Amino acid sequence: MQDLNSAMAKAVTARESIRKWDRSQIISLLETIAEKLDGAASELIPLAMNETNLTEVRLTGEVGRMSGQWRHMAAVLKKGDYLGTVIDSADSTLQPPRPELRKTTVPLGVVGIFGASNFPFAFGVGGCDTASAIAAGCPVIIKAHPGHLETSRKVFQIMAAAAQSVNAPDGLFNMVEAFEAGIEFVKHKDVSAVAFTGSTLGGRALFDIAQSRKDPIPFYGELGGLNPIFVTEEAANRNGSVIAQGFLDSVNLGAGQFCTKPGYLILVNGSKMREEIVNLVPTVVTHAMLNEKIREAHARNRSTYAGLPFVKLLAQGVATSDAIEPITIFEISGADLLANQEVTLKEVFGPTAVVVNCASNEEALKVANSFHGTLASGIHGEVNDRIISMGLLDILVRISGRIIWNSWPTGVAVTWAMHHGGPYPASTNSLFTSVGADSIKRFRRPVVFQNMPTELLPTELK
Amino acid sequence: MQDLNSAMAKAVTARESIRKWDRSQIISLLETIAEKLDGAASELIPLAMNETNLTEVRLTGEVGRMSGQWRHMAAVLKKGDYLGTVIDSADSTLQPPRPELRKTTVPLGVVGIFGASNFPFAFGVGGCDTASAIAAGCPVIIKAHPGHLETSRKVFQIMAAAAQSVNAPDGLFNMVEAFEAGIEFVKHKDVSAVAFTGSTLGGRALFDIAQSRKDPIPFYGELGGLNPIFVTEEAANRNGSVIAQGFLDSVNLGAGQFCTKPGYLILVNGSKMREEIVNLVPTVVTHAMLNEKIREAHARNRSTYAGLPFVKLLAQGVATSDAIEPITIFEISGADLLANQEVTLKEVFGPTAVVVNCASNEEALKVANSFHGTLASGIHGEVNDRIISMGLLDILVRISGRIIWNSWPTGVAVTWAMHHGGPYPASTNSLFTSVGADSIKRFRRPVVFQNMPTELLPTELK
């Protein structure tokens, strides 16, 4: 681990230097990186197309999202709320007397980051975890995803060069590629937090390492979700074909390789809408998955799910080549799902989803209650539909981080109010988001200064 | 665990009922509890005096602090910032179009709480963890500390009766007493977070259980600290006797049974001030410790520390009875402390502290860097004293949650800006505080509503 140790030594030096930076300098760094990433789009997109099977249109959008995240973080720093400053004046008339207290937040330290497979730009080496950690004033050590190494290297080079161009401390950006190096940095004494986007299995293994350290560190894992979407009985009758089309489009987006894919569509007496889905599936054109390893995993997991005795194949698209997994929609009764939750509630990463046929609103509520934590959930309906008055929304609030009305969960806007997280296993810490303005809060901790002379206070507390 | 399971079943019912409450109803509950606790002071204080050896004056102040925390939480709810609401309007001109997003926070669920030994009121069954969890809208299951069971039962009865008087849901307050019951509720599927104040050993064991659950839950452990206080060479010369007296008063407060006791006093060429300490120690009157078990632990830990070959006894007070541990001040050179950090940096819970004699500012900075995370740290000096310009404050920011200038860490004001937490092992999660307004944030998680009809939104988002 010589590489890791020398990288960490530089990162620790950078950690101290970056604390001396004005906020305006960090803003300039963030904006420079955004500009340089945009400027390199024509180099980046072909690299990622070559490594991931994703289309030019999709990757063009994703480069824009990546650079947009850096600009959004610059806006977060300009706004300043993220500092969380609070000031109490001294009050000697109280018993006991109250001292002067001035609170702000400081960077946590070096942050270890695991890029995701499915978004080489938006959640990759230059994704939101990196942007928010750097914006927070934390050096990063990033594990590049093996699914797009060349793309990762190029993004890293662009960020490092941009940092150099504004005289950022050497060692602010670090990247490793070996599988073991990722595990080693989670254990490293000078890593102060870890951010991860990926599978529940991999994320949990790294979480366990981070929590069993001599000094446990925050581990922000975003591990996906089943993202159940409920269609009220009334909505299915009113609007079934439009909802069916929206569902299939959302499942099929990016060949189903979204952590926000609507994995379960819950219908109540929905035989008519079920037919709409059967009719529409053959028209769906699916893209190739990211790579052969992921395609094989999808085929394997789909096959396991298909083998469950109470699961039926509702409809399946046509594979136009060996590299393509056809869209696959299973169906199961609400009763069978409830009776076999250990095996029926499973994420199949890829263009596969499950229609749950419930015989009553009561059964649909039980199904809602059976889901573990999820990033998103949703309802298609109207306010006066019966299941709404029966408390469906309360259940979805309990299990989800984001709840969507008459729309689909796949898009995750990079905004001030976004929350991309949820109760475990959606996130390893449901109090934090990995997308949007508040993602920066993962990497700063409060410090309060008591009776401190003004000259010694951080700028924002003076 | 029949008791625990029936308590948990009621708590889960209360969890759903309390979500239907208006904020004004919770405010009324908090204020009623504050009033009833104050009203019972004359019953509570003798119970605690009998169980803990703490004085009437101290316990009178502590009942006021306890009720004050409930009132402060009512003020937090009135202010409303704790909800963390953020609203993005829809914007169809963006690419991709931005949906309407309305974010707030919701209660985490049932919170398990471990009361501390050393503050039967302020950090006990009715302490800040309970007040902030209830204020957050979370039912509680509390493990009473065996050191003051009768006091705990009475505080619990008062809270439960107050809850009943305002028609709060049955099952909002729950208490268990058995050692095993505490472990079991950390493992219980329906407990959503745990708050703990106590030893590093006990806290870490429970943290490990919480993190190794099938669904890990937030564990907010406040495990204490060494709270090093640095006296600049110039300040020791200017003002040594006043600082020495303040140090001994702070070490001796509550017989040293504060997690914020200044455990280490670092001097630079401080032989004159060292003499002041030697002269003052015999005048210090120490109270009896909480109970015999804690006194024995103190005597044992003090004896272990005394046995280190490079540690000298600087001064010791006189024990006026067998129940009393005399104040004990050890001394060690900066060089010896640095060369033997595994054994020299240890919390001795009780009226014992260590003076560290440094030969230079450089050595004092190395000593500062050697401390692990701590709740508090401090400096006695003036802005132009030399060690300040050498970066002492930056080091203290890295290791501490609160930094005190020309004062002492023992008092922890219940205010808007207080931060009572710090890097591990001060806290198991350094991003959160267990005292002050922000303590409520430990028990709420964000949820964002996307395109949700106004009728279905929580009040604060309408």
Side-chain angles (χ1 to χ4, degrees):
Chain A
M1 288 295 131
Q2 186 50 49
D3 278 5
L4 179 65
N5 282 332
S6 65
M8 284 305 306
K10 284 201 295 177
V12 167
T13 307
R15 179 187 77 192
E16 301 308 312
S17 315
I18 196 78
R19 287 194 185 174
K20 306 277 190 295
W21 267 32
D22 280 345
R23 212 183 330 159
S24 62
Q25 289 175 285
I26 299 186
I27 290 168
S28 161
L29 169 63
L30 301 172
E31 289 176 341
T32 303
I33 289 173
E35 188 188 314
K36 298 294 182 188
L37 289 170
D38 276 341
S42 62
E43 283 178 89
L44 288 169
I45 292 164
L47 282 175
M49 285 175 71
N50 188 45
E51 290 186 307
T52 65
N53 285 329
L54 293 170
T55 65
E56 184 171 359
V57 170
R58 147 73 189 263
L59 289 167
T60 302
E62 214 188 305
V63 169
R65 182 186 174 97
M66 171 171 62
S67 61
Q69 289 178 149
W70 289 88
R71 286 197 186 88
H72 189 235
M73 276 298 139
V76 168
L77 263 62
K78 287 173 190 169
K79 195 166 178 225
D81 295 6
Y82 76 104
L83 291 166
T85 54
V86 185
I87 296 176
D88 289 325
S89 55
D91 188 341
S92 59
T93 67
L94 295 175
Q95 191 44 253
R98 186 175 68 194
E100 184 191 79
L101 291 164
R102 291 174 182 259
K103 179 159 73 169
T104 186
T105 52
V106 297
L108 266 187
V110 182
V111 174
I113 291 170
F114 288 81
S117 66
N118 54 343
F119 287 83
F121 299 123
F123 292 84
V125 162
C128 190
D129 286 339
T130 304
S132 54
I134 293 289
C138 297
V140 293
I141 179 153
I142 312 165
K143 165 73 172 62
H145 197 281
H148 37 74
L149 266 187
E150 290 296 333
T151 309
S152 298
R153 285 175 191 149
K154 187 71 196 172
V155 170
F156 180 77
Q157 281 165 20
I158 293 165
M159 295 190 301
Q164 205 168 26
S165 77
V166 297
N167 297 312
D170 194 29
L172 196 58
F173 289 88
N174 305 278
M175 190 171 90
V176 293
E177 297 184 359
F179 176 77
E180 297 75 19
I183 294 170
E184 287 307 313
F185 76 56
V186 177
K187 295 178 182 172
H188 198 284
K189 70 178 174 58
D190 290 321
V191 166
S192 298
V194 173
F196 171 93
T197 306
S199 71
T200 306
L201 196 69
R204 180 62 193 256
L206 292 169
F207 169 87
D208 288 343
I209 293 172
Q211 299 318 297
S212 59
R213 288 166 56 115
K214 196 173 162 190
D215 59 329
I217 54 175
F219 183 92
Y220 303 107
E222 191 272 84
L223 314 183
L226 303 184
N227 310 309
I229 306 295
F230 291 77
V231 184
T232 69
E233 184 169 358
E234 298 89 332
N237 288 327
R238 274 190 304 261
N239 207 16
S241 66
V242 172
I243 299 171
Q245 184 67 58
F247 169 60
L248 296 175
D249 289 347
S250 188
V251 169
N252 196 47
L253 198 67
Q257 298 163 117
F258 273 60
C259 53
T260 50
K261 180 191 73 181
Y264 289 73
L265 189 77
I266 295 91
L267 307 180
V268 181
N269 300 319
S271 56
K272 191 176 136 216
M273 192 174 146
R274 180 182 165 282
E275 286 309 310
E276 307 270 13
I277 294 170
V278 172
N279 294 336
L280 286 167
V281 162
T283 68
V284 175
V285 178
T286 306
H287 289 290
M289 293 192 74
L290 287 158
N291 56 52
E292 184 56 16
K293 194 175 156 197
I294 289 177
R295 193 199 66 72
E296 279 172 12
H298 174 256
R300 196 166 55 242
N301 293 331
R302 184 191 53 201
S303 162
T304 303
Y305 206 84
L308 297 175
F310 25 79
V311 167
K312 287 185 210 150
L313 181 68
L314 178 62
Q316 188 165 41
V318 179
T320 52
S321 89
D322 283 352
I324 289 177
E325 291 286 290
I327 187 168
T328 304
I329 308 295
F330 292 114
E331 70 174 336
I332 185 171
S333 73
D336 283 336
L337 179 140
L338 290 167
N340 305 278
Q341 297 172 29
E342 284 293 315
V343 290
T344 55
L345 295 170
K346 289 278 179 200
E347 182 177 0
V348 179
F349 187 76
T352 290
V354 181
V355 168
V356 184
N357 296 307
C358 293
S360 66
N361 284 324
E362 287 75 9
E363 189 174 85
L365 293 175
K366 281 186 196 152
V367 167
N369 257 319
S370 73
F371 282 93
H372 298 292
T374 182
L375 289 168
S377 63
I379 302 174
H380 284 263
E382 286 183 7
V383 171
N384 294 322
D385 291 350
R386 195 159 152 267
I387 197 169
I388 305 298
S389 66
M390 294 170 73
L392 175 60
L393 187 57
D394 284 344
I395 300 172
L396 299 188
V397 166
R398 190 176 60 71
I399 63 171
S400 331
R402 181 166 56 110
I403 303 162
I404 297 126
W405 184 260
N406 284 339
S407 182
W408 300 97
T410 10
V412 182
V414 179
T415 67
W416 299 95
M418 178 48 69
H419 181 66
H420 189 58
Y424 189 89
S427 305
T428 52
N429 188 329
S430 67
L431 279 73
F432 294 94
T433 178
S434 64
V435 174
D438 284 349
S439 60
I440 193 174
K441 293 187 178 171
R442 297 176 294 172
F443 305 122
R444 295 182 66 90
R445 68 177 169 84
V447 171
V448 65
F449 296 88
Q450 183 168 329
N451 296 338
M452 191 65 62
T454 308
E455 302 93 305
L456 298 179
L457 286 168
T459 314
E460 67 270 20
L461 289 180
K462 281 181 180 171
Chain B
M1 288 296 131
Q2 186 49 49
D3 278 5
L4 180 65
N5 283 331
S6 66
M8 284 305 306
K10 284 201 295 177
V12 167
T13 307
R15 179 187 77 192
E16 301 309 312
S17 315
I18 195 78
R19 287 194 185 175
K20 307 278 190 293
W21 267 32
D22 280 346
R23 214 185 327 161
S24 62
Q25 289 175 285
I26 300 186
I27 290 168
S28 161
L29 169 63
L30 300 172
E31 289 176 342
T32 303
I33 290 173
E35 188 188 314
K36 298 294 182 189
L37 289 170
D38 276 341
S42 62
E43 283 179 89
L44 288 168
I45 292 164
L47 281 175
M49 285 175 72
N50 188 45
E51 290 185 309
T52 65
N53 285 330
L54 293 170
T55 64
E56 184 171 0
V57 170
R58 148 71 189 264
L59 289 168
T60 302
E62 214 188 306
V63 169
R65 183 188 174 96
M66 171 172 62
S67 61
Q69 288 179 150
W70 289 88
R71 286 198 185 86
H72 189 235
M73 277 298 139
V76 168
L77 263 61
K78 287 173 190 169
K79 195 166 178 222
D81 295 6
Y82 76 104
L83 291 166
T85 54
V86 185
I87 296 175
D88 289 325
S89 55
D91 188 341
S92 59
T93 67
L94 295 174
Q95 192 44 251
R98 185 175 69 194
E100 184 192 78
L101 291 164
R102 291 174 182 259
K103 178 158 74 169
T104 186
T105 52
V106 297
L108 266 187
V110 182
V111 174
I113 292 171
F114 288 81
S117 66
N118 54 342
F119 287 84
F121 298 123
F123 292 85
V125 163
C128 190
D129 286 340
T130 304
S132 54
I134 293 290
C138 297
V140 294
I141 180 154
I142 312 166
K143 165 73 172 62
H145 197 281
H148 37 74
L149 266 186
E150 290 297 333
T151 309
S152 297
R153 285 176 191 149
K154 186 71 196 170
V155 170
F156 180 77
Q157 282 164 20
I158 293 165
M159 295 190 301
Q164 205 168 25
S165 77
V166 298
N167 297 312
D170 194 29
L172 195 58
F173 289 88
N174 305 278
M175 190 171 90
V176 293
E177 297 184 359
F179 176 78
E180 297 75 20
I183 294 171
E184 286 308 313
F185 76 57
V186 177
K187 295 178 181 170
H188 198 285
K189 70 178 175 55
D190 289 321
V191 166
S192 298
V194 174
F196 171 93
T197 305
S199 71
T200 306
L201 196 70
R204 180 62 193 256
L206 292 168
F207 169 86
D208 288 344
I209 293 172
Q211 300 318 297
S212 60
R213 288 166 56 115
K214 195 172 163 192
D215 59 329
I217 54 175
F219 183 92
Y220 303 108
E222 191 272 84
L223 314 182
L226 303 185
N227 310 309
I229 306 294
F230 291 77
V231 184
T232 69
E233 184 170 358
E234 298 89 332
N237 288 327
R238 275 190 304 260
N239 208 17
S241 66
V242 172
I243 299 171
Q245 184 67 58
F247 169 61
L248 296 175
D249 289 347
S250 188
V251 169
N252 196 47
L253 198 66
Q257 298 163 117
F258 273 60
C259 53
T260 50
K261 179 192 73 181
Y264 288 73
L265 188 77
I266 296 92
L267 307 180
V268 181
N269 300 319
S271 56
K272 191 176 135 216
M273 191 173 145
R274 181 181 164 282
E275 286 309 310
E276 307 270 13
I277 294 171
V278 172
N279 294 336
L280 286 167
V281 161
T283 68
V284 175
V285 178
T286 306
H287 289 290
M289 294 191 74
L290 287 157
N291 56 52
E292 184 56 17
K293 194 175 156 197
I294 289 177
R295 193 200 65 73
E296 279 173 12
H298 174 256
R300 196 166 54 242
N301 293 331
R302 184 191 53 201
S303 162
T304 302
Y305 206 84
L308 297 175
F310 25 79
V311 166
K312 286 184 210 151
L313 181 67
L314 178 61
Q316 188 165 40
V318 179
T320 52
S321 89
D322 283 352
I324 288 177
E325 291 286 290
I327 187 168
T328 304
I329 308 295
F330 292 114
E331 71 174 336
I332 185 172
S333 73
D336 282 336
L337 179 141
L338 290 167
N340 304 279
Q341 297 172 29
E342 284 293 315
V343 289
T344 55
L345 295 170
K346 289 279 180 199
E347 182 177 1
V348 178
F349 186 76
T352 290
V354 181
V355 168
V356 184
N357 296 307
C358 293
S360 66
N361 284 323
E362 288 74 10
E363 189 174 85
L365 293 175
K366 281 186 196 151
V367 168
N369 257 319
S370 73
F371 281 92
H372 298 293
T374 182
L375 289 168
S377 63
I379 302 174
H380 284 263
E382 286 183 8
V383 171
N384 294 322
D385 291 350
R386 198 161 149 264
I387 197 169
I388 305 299
S389 66
M390 293 170 74
L392 174 60
L393 187 57
D394 285 344
I395 300 172
L396 299 188
V397 166
R398 189 176 60 70
I399 63 171
S400 331
R402 181 165 57 109
I403 304 162
I404 297 127
W405 184 260
N406 284 340
S407 183
W408 300 97
T410 9
V412 182
V414 179
T415 67
W416 300 95
M418 178 48 69
H419 181 65
H420 189 57
Y424 189 89
S427 304
T428 53
N429 188 330
S430 67
L431 279 73
F432 294 94
T433 179
S434 63
V435 174
D438 285 350
S439 60
I440 193 173
K441 292 187 179 172
R442 296 175 295 171
F443 305 121
R444 296 182 66 90
R445 69 177 169 84
V447 171
V448 64
F449 296 88
Q450 183 168 329
N451 296 337
M452 191 65 61
T454 307
E455 303 93 306
L456 299 179
L457 286 168
T459 314
E460 68 269 21
L461 290 180
K462 280 181 180 170

